[in-house]
Amino acid sequence: MPATAPLTARALLLDMDGTLVNSDAVVERCWRHWAAEHGLDGDSVIEVVHGRQGYATMAVLLPERPMEENLADNQRMLEWETADVDGVVAIPGAPAFMASLADLPHALVTSADEGLARARMDAAGLPMPRVRVTAERVGASKPDPEGFLKGAAELGFRPQDCVVFEDSEVGIAAGRAAGMRVVGVGPRAAAHTPDAHVRDLEQVRVEALPDGTLRLRFTD
């Protein structure tokens, strides 16, 4: 879908990895290491990791494994990823985009925990939003809508008044399940028919209208 028609919202809910921060290099390093430990094909693992919390990815890949083992491995994975920020950079346009939101209603809604989110946002040179819903604040991973619904509630807006920015299939599904419109960011999002799609955040402009509405414009 060409990203030409403007959208309006009262608040924006932002995924982190793949949306604000390019962390693909470290994600691949850590998950390929985990895949090798479990005798799994690394390429097949990488296809399903984006957007979910680690334990949920493990449950997809090893459906017969007890959940307590997935949760233990998830904690180990978070420690690996938090310690490794080599190659973590901002998505093109993210610094200006975040600066434009400084005084506007927005929240971070990420499958990372607080420590990992801070490590990656810092590595990318991006400000941490005041309102954030991280992994430890939800009971279910994306594609469950819980995180986005909590973000909207904490900002004080109805779901239908929010627009989600996401890069992954499960993240887009979570935004839709929350009753929100979705701007897809980057190549992974293009196949999942978001309400608008952009190459990166250089194509997004946010304008605050006098009544508090946010107008999102998309450039070629």
Side-chain angles (χ1 to χ4, degrees):
M1 172 185 294
T4 54
L7 295 176
T8 58
R10 306 289 291 186
L12 305 183
L13 302 178
L14 314 174
D15 175 52
M16 182 180 70
D17 293 301
T19 301
L20 300 175
V21 171
N22 183 342
S23 57
D24 284 358
V26 61
V27 169
E28 289 215 10
R29 281 195 297 273
C30 291
W31 279 99
R32 286 185 186 279
H33 178 73
W34 182 87
E37 285 187 341
H38 294 277
L40 300 173
D41 176 68
D43 290 343
S44 299
V45 169
I46 295 303
E47 287 180 2
V48 300
V49 299
H50 296 290
R52 294 182 176 90
Q53 290 191 43
Y55 75 86
T57 294
M58 295 167 193
V60 170
L61 294 165
L62 298 172
E64 303 303 319
R65 194 165 80 142
M67 183 55 74
E68 57 265 28
E69 293 184 29
N70 293 337
L71 292 171
D73 263 9
N74 182 72
Q75 185 57 43
R76 192 163 56 113
M77 180 69 71
L78 286 170
E79 292 168 1
W80 290 350
E81 291 187 292
T82 302
D84 183 357
V85 293
D86 186 24
V88 174
V89 296
I91 292 290
F97 175 74
M98 292 300 289
S100 75
L101 299 184
D103 298 318
L104 304 178
H106 68 287
L108 188 72
V109 181
T110 175
S111 293
D113 70 359
E114 179 80 13
L116 179 56
R118 285 191 176 278
R120 288 187 175 164
M121 293 290 279
D122 286 349
L126 298 175
M128 179 68 89
R130 179 185 62 80
V131 176
R132 49 196 178 270
V133 180
T134 51
E136 57 269 74
R137 292 197 56 206
V138 297
S141 175
K142 298 172 185 175
D144 192 281
E146 180 185 0
F148 288 125
L149 292 171
K150 281 193 171 181
E154 191 158 334
L155 289 170
F157 294 98
R158 301 177 303 168
Q160 59 266 41
D161 292 330
C162 298
V163 167
V164 165
F165 280 71
E166 263 286 358
D167 74 300
S168 70
E169 178 180 7
V170 296
I172 291 170
R176 286 206 179 108
M180 301 172 184
R181 291 153 295 148
V182 180
V183 176
V185 180
R188 281 192 291 268
H192 305 296
T193 58
D195 296 278
H197 177 257
V198 293
R199 177 189 65 249
D200 55 44
L201 295 172
E202 289 183 339
Q203 293 186 284
V204 182
R205 299 290 181 273
V206 182
E207 177 187 3
L209 302 180
D211 67 353
T213 299
L214 307 181
R215 178 183 291 148
L216 307 178
R217 295 189 180 277
F218 307 105
T219 64
D220 294 330

